[in-house]
Amino acid sequence: MGATLRVYKRRIRSVTATKKITKAMEMIAASRVVKAQRQVAASTPYASELTRAVTAVATGSNTQHPLTTEAERPTRAALLLITSDRGLAGGYSSNVIKAAEQLTERLRAEGKEVDAYIVGRKGVSYYAFRERTVQESWTGFTDSPTYADAKAVAAPLIAAVQQDTAEGGVDELHIVFTEFISMMTQTALDDRLLPLSLTETAAAVDEGKDGEILPLFEFEPSAEDVLDALLPRYVESRIYNALLQAAASKHAATRRAMKSATDNAEELIKSLSRLANAARQAEITQEISEIVGGASALADATAGSD
């Protein structure tokens, strides 16, 4: 076997091994995204109903709660960025980081300082490489987040919103994550969680409720106490839903990237096989030519001696 043919066969073996890995990763991601989709579908109604409850309390009372009242001159905002712990997901992490960068620039243009809170090793590495300050970071659970993880993430954010800005608190809470729309479509999204935008949430509450008479509410012990109890749950549920959406988006992106890698490996194997066959044919042709040439020279030598 010639040197060229050996090179092609070695490359074919290497690409075939890579293809097996990417195919296995594609199948794993496909199974995980189905589970993540079910979790998103299960958590979304809870988050929506909790938003309805908070909006009902906020709009049905005259309470000026700090978590539902806009600051006159907001000077500081918290930004929660949800990325992935792992790569091999195409442009998943880079797209959501880009959306966070755009939001950061917009907030700074409004004269607000931005405190970064990061979920996922990709986001942590991005900020660490650029030597940017991160208030809090969490890693290790982005592929399969739980409600306990959401509570751990929400706790310092809620504390920062409740704290005065002069003591390191924030006026606003924003979240940037990847919304799962379908297996083929995932969109980086930024959303303001606090203060609660009553106009937008009231519209969401009334969606599909045309003609329905809105109830009158009585609050015990008081509307402020009810808000104190509901708003932390609201933040936790919204963060949990965002974590699940991000996990489903990441698995879908991984599946798509690994399928593309598998298809590319198959095309490369076909191309290398054609080159290997051409090299084998060239070697056979050369060997035949050498045999024919040797036989002809031997015949000429024999005829000359006669």
Side-chain angles (χ1 to χ4, degrees), residues 74-285:
T75 59
R76 200 175 193 90
L79 186 152
L80 174 61
L81 170 61
I82 300 177
T83 63
S84 174
D85 285 325
R86 306 184 184 189
L88 301 176
Y92 167 78
S93 291
S94 60
N95 289 338
V96 73
I97 288 174
K98 182 179 179 181
E101 290 287 86
Q102 293 173 348
L103 176 59
T104 300
E105 292 177 3
R106 187 165 70 248
L107 292 173
R108 287 175 176 168
E110 296 172 357
K112 302 170 186 173
E113 296 182 28
V114 180
D115 292 343
Y117 295 79
I118 312 296
V119 174
R121 290 190 179 91
K122 290 297 180 180
V124 172
S125 299
Y126 180 86
Y127 275 69
F129 180 77
R130 287 158 180 78
E131 298 181 350
R132 297 182 183 176
T133 302
V134 175
Q135 301 298 322
E136 294 277 353
S137 63
W138 301 267
T139 60
F141 56 80
T142 57
D143 282 355
S144 183
T146 64
Y147 196 82
D149 297 323
K151 290 186 68 174
V153 174
L157 293 168
I158 295 171
V161 172
Q162 292 175 329
Q163 194 174 16
D164 189 85
T165 52
E167 300 175 357
V170 297
D171 298 308
E172 298 176 357
L173 170 57
H174 298 260
I175 183 171
V176 183
F177 65 100
T178 305
E179 182 183 21
F180 181 86
I181 299 173
S182 68
M183 290 292 291
M184 297 302 297
T185 307
Q186 301 87 42
T187 304
L189 180 69
D190 66 83
D191 189 17
R192 194 183 78 173
L193 296 188
L194 295 175
L196 198 62
S197 178
L198 298 182
T199 302
E200 295 179 4
T201 51
V205 168
D206 294 337
E207 186 178 355
K209 303 287 184 180
D210 294 340
E212 181 179 343
I213 298 176
L214 298 178
L216 296 176
F217 295 94
E218 292 184 1
F219 308 106
E220 292 184 0
S222 67
E224 185 174 0
D225 290 334
V226 173
L227 284 174
D228 285 339
L230 281 181
L231 277 167
R233 304 295 180 269
Y234 161 76
V235 174
E236 292 168 3
S237 67
R238 291 291 299 272
I239 290 177
Y240 181 52
N241 185 259
L243 288 171
L244 293 177
Q245 296 250 16
S249 299
K250 189 268 178 183
H251 295 316
T254 298
R255 177 182 177 274
R256 190 166 58 250
M258 292 301 99
K259 185 180 186 307
S260 177
T262 302
D263 293 342
N264 291 338
E266 289 179 352
E267 291 297 323
L268 184 56
I269 289 171
K270 291 179 182 179
S271 176
L272 291 172
S273 296
R274 286 193 294 267
L275 293 173
N277 290 336
R280 186 184 300 108
Q281 291 172 359
E283 288 183 6
I284 293 172
T285 301

Side-chain angles (χ1 to χ4, degrees), residues 18-64:
T18 302
K19 176 189 168 183
K20 290 179 180 179
I21 295 172
T22 57
K23 184 64 177 178
M25 294 181 68
E26 177 190 348
M27 296 175 66
I28 292 171
S31 65
R32 286 179 175 175
V33 74
V34 173
K35 178 182 177 182
Q37 278 182 280
R38 288 198 297 264
Q39 290 179 317
V40 170
S43 70
T44 299
Y46 175 77
S48 300
E49 288 303 317
L50 196 52
T51 302
R52 283 170 56 89
V54 173
T55 303
V57 178
T59 57
S61 68
N62 296 323
T63 302
Q64 297 295 315

